[in-house]
Every structure is written in C-alpha cells, then in structure tokens.
Amino acid sequence: MMANKVYIIAYYTFKEILKSKILINVFFAGLGLMLVTYVATEFTYGVPERVALDFGLGTLSLSSLAISLFLGATLLSKEIDSRTVYMVISRPVPRFAFILGKILGLLGIQALNVFLLSLMTLITVSVLGGNITPLIYWAIGFIFLESILLLLVVVLVSLVANNILSTLLSLVILVLGHAVKETQSLTFVKNRGFFKIVLEAYHFILPGFYKLNLKEFVIYKTSLPFDYLLSSLIYGVAYSGFLLALTIYLFNKKNID
Amino acid sequence: MIKLQSLRKVFKSDLLTQPFVALDDVSFDVPEGSMVGFLGANGAGKTTSLKIIMDFIRPTSGAVIFSSKLGSSKLEIFKNIGFLPERPYFYPTLTGHDFLLFMGRLSEMTTTSINHEIQVWAPRFKIDHALKRELKTYSKGMLQRIGFLATILHHPKIVILDEPLSGLDPIGRKELKDVIIEVHKEGKTVFFSSHIVPDVEEICDRVVFLKDGKLAFDGSVGSLITDSLAFDYVVSVKADFSFNPQTPFKSVTILPNNLKKYIVESGNKDRFLVEMIERKYIILSIEMNKPTLEEIFYQTRGTV
C-alpha cells in the first residue's frame, strides 16, 4: 500500500515535469551534441570516435547534473510555496512517502534524459566506427549515479536554504567533490599538514564526486579494474542512501510552513 | 471529534528576532456532527491552529486529540479527514480529472469509486464540463470548487476548510455554502475558518473566536449573540401625542396616526410594558433588536 502511494506521487511528479517541456531541452541538447560532434570530427584526424564519445559523455553529464541542480532545488520548495504539499500530506500519506515519491519522479525524468542522450552518443560513436566497450556503459551508469547523488545533495540543502542558495551551495559541493582528489595530490598541500587534514576530513563529510567520474578513463583506456568500479559503485550507492535517510529524517521533523 | 488542548505556538525565525506567540493556551473542541466556524481577524492564529491539527507544524506545547472514531493511527485518522488549504494551488498541467484521480488514489480509493464520486459531485460543483481541461485554465472559483471536491471525494468523517469562501464572488460563495451545508447534512463534521462573519453566522451552529492568538469565545452562535451584548427592544405603541412614559427608554420615533416606536433596554422592557398596559395604551408589536454576529465581532473587536 505504501509503495503504491510512493509510486502515485512519483508518477504524477514525473508527468508534471514531463509536461513542463524538459524533454525539449534534452532533444536540443542531443541535436547540439550530434552537430558539434560532426563539426569536431571534421577537424580531427584519426580519432573522430573519441571526440564523439568525449562530447557525448560530456553533454550527458552536464545535462543530467543541470537537471539535478535546477529541478532538485525547487522540487520541495515549489510544493511548499504553492501549498500543493498540503493537499498530499493531509491524506493518509506519510512524509517519507511524499519525499521519496518526489525524488523518484524526478529520477524518472533523469533516467529518461540519460537514456536518450546515451543512445544518441552510442549511435554516433558506432557510426564513426568506434568500439562500444563495457566501460562506456559503466561510465553512463556512473553519470546517472552522480546525478542521483547531486540531486540528493540539492534536496537536502533545499530543506534548510532557499532555492538560489541551495543551487549555489550544491554547485560548490559538486565542484569541490571533483577537485578534491587533484588538490590532494598537489605538493603545496602535501607539504602542509593543516590542508592535508582539512582535505581528509572533507572525505568524511562531503561526497567525493570524482569517484564517479569515468569519462577520462573511457576515452583513454578501454578497461578499469573491477574492484575500482565496484568500490566506486558501493560508495555512490551508500552515500546516496545516507543522504536519502538524512533528507527523510529532516523532512519528517520540518515545520511545513 | 477533535480536541485542542492548551495549544501554544511560538515562532522564532532567528536569534536576533523577538519570539512571536502565534497561539497562547488555546483549547476548544469540534464536536461530532457539528458545523463549527473558526473566526478571527487576519493573524489571529486560525491558519496556525489548522496547520497544527494537520501536523504540518508542531506546537511548542499542548496537544491535538482526535476521537477514536477517526482511527487509532495517524494514517487511519487522516484517511477520515478532508482538508482544503487556504488559496490552494494545484499542479497546473494536470487536468481536473487527473488531479481528482491523484487525490483519490492517495486516499486509497479505487479508480472506479473515484470516477463514481466525480460523476455524482462534479455536476453539483459545476465543473463537470471542465474536467478534461488543464488546471491552469481554471478560474479561481473553479479551483476552489475542484479543491473542495477533492476534499470530500473519499467520504471523510470530518471536513476542515481554511478560508474556503475567500476570493469567491457572491454567486460562487452561495454555491459553495450550499454544498458545505449539504455535506454537513450527510452527517459530516465541518470545521472551517473564515473572516467573513455573515457566512459563519449563516451556516454554523458553533463558533470559535480567536483574538491575537488567544481563545476569545467558544460556543453556539446563539449564545454568543445572547451573552455578548445586552439587547434593546423595539416597542410599537399606539398612543396620543401627550403620552410620556415614566420608564426610561433610549429613543422614540414618532410616526403618523399616533404611532410611536420606543427603543427600550432589555432591563427596562418588562416595566415599560406594564406601564403601557396599566395606562391602557395599545401595544402593536414588540421585537428584539438582535445584533448580527458581524456587529458583535466588530463591536467587541473579537474580544467577546
């Protein structure tokens, strides 16, 4: 029964966002991707499929992160501001079912976006004579996982901050999450104990998005150790689970005013 | 059906601002089968009370007790409540029918029963013609009506409405009031907030007044009118021009054909009538100069 309510909320959230013409943006992103790929391959000698893959995964990553960032920031605040949340949670619907349904509905849109753009990318790479290696599928899966993680960060921050602030804060967390590994390897940081401690502490608090970034590996290598992939997958799933639990806990405590 | 027990709600937005007491020791109950109007000026604490009842916000202290007839768990209780928030705004790209399906399914109704209820109620609410249209094309009155339909779709035992009549034109208000009365006649308890006093007076049998977050009155509309002000009486008498009663009166209006209308305070009414009878004047009529609930509300500024 409860799963059914989560499904109903997810279904109508999906339908509502879908009708807001988000797919038109995805369509144009895909069209732009193919166009840019075509132009870029004209100027590239020998490795057009790599360029196609680079552009494809880049567009896919950017569009899914943008969806998480911008739609995630208003996912709950819009409901609260417009009082639609009152219509739902005044019914026999626990708050966790509401928030879970909202997140799953948006993830449905996200999945559709990832599916469509990755399909276009794979077709383009194939047409240009590239090999579709298993690592490409892993990379696509990790982009999806990264967008889930970012969405959960945004939704969590939006419970305590306004739309603009939650978008900006989440963007900062995303950039830091990608830059932290490179920063750690800098000699400047290595030689200073304080920075080292701060960056290590970072790992215990904020998500390391770099662990889910396989794009460079995909373009320059054909495979990665399975252990690495598995540990990154477990990290992403576990961190997402933790953020979801925290979001549900805070939403349960929140005064919806 | 619902009992509020010493509710207190203090808002404090940040460390620098003074705490704001929105509700202060508010206790009242909504009896089963009653139609209770919840009155108070803007900012009196009506919406805060309703939000606490619906568990949108938590009280600083005090409690809301639901009758066991509504259920034992929160989900069971909420299955028997129909709530319509103030100025509801619905998902604009959903059609009216989709929206009702959404709400009904969340209340654990089957699609068949939802459609059946829509068939019964949509013509009553005059929105049957618009069910296939997106909600963004609805007028404010239509949104209010479809919101109310969604509120009663699942046959709740109690209907809680936050300012359901505000923003509607007179015809829209009349139609919605008729439906509220009809729903009440079906045996449902109705509790609705409003700052439109005549509407409450017209359809409610009980009234709860809030003033600055405190309970100012809780009781029947009749007793509010009877208890709050001393009435005057209008006594029409046929008497000659020289007649001058010894019993004190407030004012007199002299009409043609030796007719006089005296306004007499309730405390002097009996003495005045005895004097008339003793002096063999003809009493044509006597009527109570009854104030409306609105007059009481504004005369007392909500402090009854």
Side-chain angles (χ1 to χ4, degrees), chain B residues 273-304:
Chain B
L273 291 177
V274 169
E275 188 184 346
M276 292 297 108
I277 293 163
E278 280 174 358
R279 296 174 71 166
K280 296 196 169 39
Y281 288 115
I282 301 164
I283 300 168
L284 297 171
S285 69
I286 174 165
E287 57 186 299
M288 196 162 70
N289 202 1
K290 188 179 161 189
T292 64
L293 194 56
E294 189 167 27
E295 282 168 338
I296 294 168
F297 184 63
Y298 289 111
Q299 278 176 36
T300 59
R301 292 172 189 270
T303 314
V304 185

Side-chain angles (χ1 to χ4, degrees), chain A residues 159-188:
Chain A
L159 287 177
V160 289
N162 65 30
N163 293 347
I164 298 171
L165 204 59
S166 53
T167 308
L168 285 175
L169 271 174
S170 306
L171 189 63
V172 169
I173 293 171
L174 175 70
V175 173
L176 282 176
H178 276 289
V180 68
K181 185 141 190 277
E182 294 296 318
T183 316
Q184 256 178 329
S185 63
L186 294 173
T187 320
F188 178 81

Side-chain angles (χ1 to χ4, degrees), chain A residues 33 37 51-61 117 121 143:
Chain A
L33 157 74
T37 307
V51 175
L53 194 60
D54 198 6
F55 274 114
L57 292 181
T59 311
L60 176 60
S61 182
L117 286 181
T121 304
I143 287 172

Side-chain angles (χ1 to χ4, degrees), chain B residues 15-44:
Chain B
L15 287 171
L16 299 174
T17 52
Q18 286 287 316
F20 167 68
V21 181
L23 290 177
D24 188 10
D25 195 26
V26 172
S27 301
F28 64 87
D29 64 343
V30 181
E32 188 182 352
S34 62
M35 169 102 86
V36 180
F38 195 22
L39 280 171
N42 288 334

